[in-house]
């Protein structure tokens, strides 16, 4: 009954109260906008505007039409988006390491879900080692996590260095074991931190163990110690450790963020998700 083109012209006139301004915003001739409004009034059987040479005002029916037109166009856009978007459908069980989910990854996954609404998406967040084990056991389809230097599994997305982070006001004693806030085993960064501190001659004293990045951050902000973490994904509120220890910890340990799939030939949902992550690598690494 109501043509979306006519409704768009009507709404633009209703917003601007000016046919010339509405035509300019719609990139149409003024006469075309007038025709659209006239046809909409004919379809509705009601006057929608009171107009003269100086003013344009909505009638009471015009005010009601604003609500209907807005709803109709929103539903029209929903239908258009649904039927023109990717036809990819199916299920993808995705695992992401704790490091990634407090930065840009959630926004990228949100964009993926909006552009692929037919995909049944399941997210699991955890330690990389645990996620890769779940992948190999068939519980996940695609994992985005860390691997150690020298490992060959997965497809590299970027290489990162590990660094010690602490609260801005944290002061590290010159001697004795370094107080360490860390994930529980099996954790790549825990293993790397303990090995690095042992080689430095300081050793480590574990002061907090938690399975969540928020827990690590909270413990560090409370002054319990330092955390070993990817440089490009620093926990909010923490800063690189400033002490003589930093100079002693060379060369820096590197890890790689990789994508690994359960099978050699990816399903269409897995292919689509992999492509989105690879395309947004620069966003993901901050």
């Amino acid at each position: 009954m109501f043509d979306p083109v006519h409704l768009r012209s009507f709404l633009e006139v209703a917003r601007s109260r000016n046919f010339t301004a509405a035509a300019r915003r719609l990139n149409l001739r003024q006469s075309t906008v007038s025709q659209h409004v006239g046809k909409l009034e004919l379809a509705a059987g009601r006057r929608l505007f009171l107009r003269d040479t100086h003013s344009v005002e909505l009638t009471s029916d015009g005010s009601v039409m604003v609500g209907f037109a807005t709803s109709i166009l929103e539903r029209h856009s929903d239908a258009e988006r649904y039927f023109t978007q990717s036809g990819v459908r199916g299920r993808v069980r995705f695992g992401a390491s704790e490091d990634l989910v407090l930065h840009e990854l959630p926004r990228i996954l949100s964009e993926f879900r909006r552009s692929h609404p037919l995909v049944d998406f399941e997210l699991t967040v955890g330690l990389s080692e645990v996620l890769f084990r779940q992948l190999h056991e068939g519980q996940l389809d695609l994992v985005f996590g860390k691997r150690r230097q020298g490992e060959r599994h997965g497809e590299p997305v970027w290489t990162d260095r590990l660094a010690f982070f602490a609260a801005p006001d944290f002061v590290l004693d010159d001697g004795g074991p370094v107080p360490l806030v860390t994930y529980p085993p099996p954790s790549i960064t825990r293993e790397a931190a303990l090995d690095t501190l042992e080689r430095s001659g300081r050793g480590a004293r574990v002061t907090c163990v938690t399975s969540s990045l928020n827990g690590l951050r909270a413990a560090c902000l409370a002054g319990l110690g330092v955390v070993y973490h990817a440089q490009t994904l620093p926990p909010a509120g923490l800063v690189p450790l400033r002490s003589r220890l930093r100079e002693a910890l060379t060369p820096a340990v590197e890890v790689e963020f990789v994508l690994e799939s359960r099978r050699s030939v990816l399903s269409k949902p897995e292919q689509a998700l992999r492509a989105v992550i690879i395309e947004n690598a620069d966003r993901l690494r901050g």
Side-chain angles (χ1 to χ4, degrees):
M1 180 178 179
F2 300 127
D3 189 320
V5 174
H6 301 164
L7 291 172
R8 289 191 186 94
S9 292
F10 163 75
L11 282 179
E12 200 54 58
V13 175
R15 292 186 188 108
S16 63
R17 296 295 200 272
N18 186 291
F19 277 78
T20 302
R24 188 164 51 246
R25 288 178 62 86
L26 293 167
N27 199 27
L28 298 171
R29 292 196 300 267
Q30 181 179 333
S31 59
T32 301
V33 173
S34 296
Q35 289 173 9
H36 290 170
V37 171
K39 289 178 179 179
L40 183 61
E41 288 181 324
L42 186 62
R46 310 285 179 87
R47 290 280 304 275
L48 303 177
F49 291 110
L50 295 174
R51 50 199 167 206
D52 56 31
T53 55
H54 302 293
S55 65
V56 176
E57 298 294 336
L58 285 165
T59 64
S60 58
D61 289 321
S63 296
V64 172
M65 180 60 81
V66 168
F68 284 129
T70 301
S71 297
I72 291 169
L73 289 177
E74 285 175 352
R75 297 303 294 159
H76 185 271
S77 295
D78 289 343
E80 193 174 56
R81 189 163 49 248
Y82 180 90
F83 288 106
T84 58
Q85 67 206 347
S86 165
V88 174
R89 66 177 67 221
R91 181 177 70 157
V92 58
R93 299 169 299 173
F94 180 60
S97 75
E98 189 82 24
D99 313 62
L100 297 161
V101 296
L102 293 185
H103 292 269
E104 195 65 20
L105 182 61
R107 280 182 283 274
I108 291 170
L109 294 180
S110 177
E111 293 165 10
F112 171 80
R113 295 193 67 238
R114 284 199 301 273
S115 60
H116 299 83
L118 303 181
V119 172
D120 183 9
F121 183 85
E122 298 177 13
L123 174 65
T124 299
V125 178
L127 299 176
S128 295
E129 292 287 271
V130 174
L131 294 174
F132 287 128
R133 185 174 68 237
Q134 292 175 329
L135 180 79
H136 298 150
E137 292 173 352
Q139 299 173 39
L140 296 171
D141 301 311
L142 191 66
V143 166
F144 190 16
K146 296 189 298 293
R147 72 180 183 190
R148 300 174 182 83
Q149 286 178 298
E151 292 184 335
R152 293 289 177 263
H153 64 88
E155 175 184 10
V157 180
W158 83 84
T159 299
D160 215 326
R161 287 186 171 190
L162 296 177
F164 284 99
F165 289 86
D169 59 352
F170 181 80
V171 178
L172 181 66
D173 294 337
D174 287 338
V178 174
L180 183 66
V181 174
T182 182
Y183 291 119
S187 162
I188 292 173
T189 51
R190 175 192 174 97
E191 180 184 300
L194 292 173
D195 180 63
T196 298
L197 292 173
E198 189 65 33
R199 286 189 287 105
S200 76
R202 291 285 300 265
R205 175 171 57 90
V206 175
T207 57
C208 176
V209 177
T210 174
S211 59
S212 78
L213 184 54
N214 274 328
L216 294 179
R217 175 177 173 271
C220 286
L221 290 174
L224 294 183
V226 302
V227 63
Y228 210 30
H229 205 271
Q231 282 186 333
T232 62
L233 303 171
L238 303 187
V239 298
L241 181 66
R242 295 179 177 87
S243 76
R244 280 179 290 179
L245 176 64
R246 220 165 98 180
E247 287 109 37
L249 301 178
T250 56
V253 176
E254 291 186 342
V255 292
E256 288 183 303
F257 283 91
V258 301
L259 273 173
E260 186 172 352
S261 60
R262 182 168 60 92
R263 44 196 163 199
S264 56
V265 179
L266 275 64
S267 68
K268 287 186 177 179
E270 293 162 14
Q271 291 174 21
L273 181 55
R274 174 199 167 276
V276 166
I277 291 172
I278 297 298
E279 289 166 7
N280 288 281
D282 288 343
R283 286 175 62 190
L284 285 162
R285 64 185 300 180

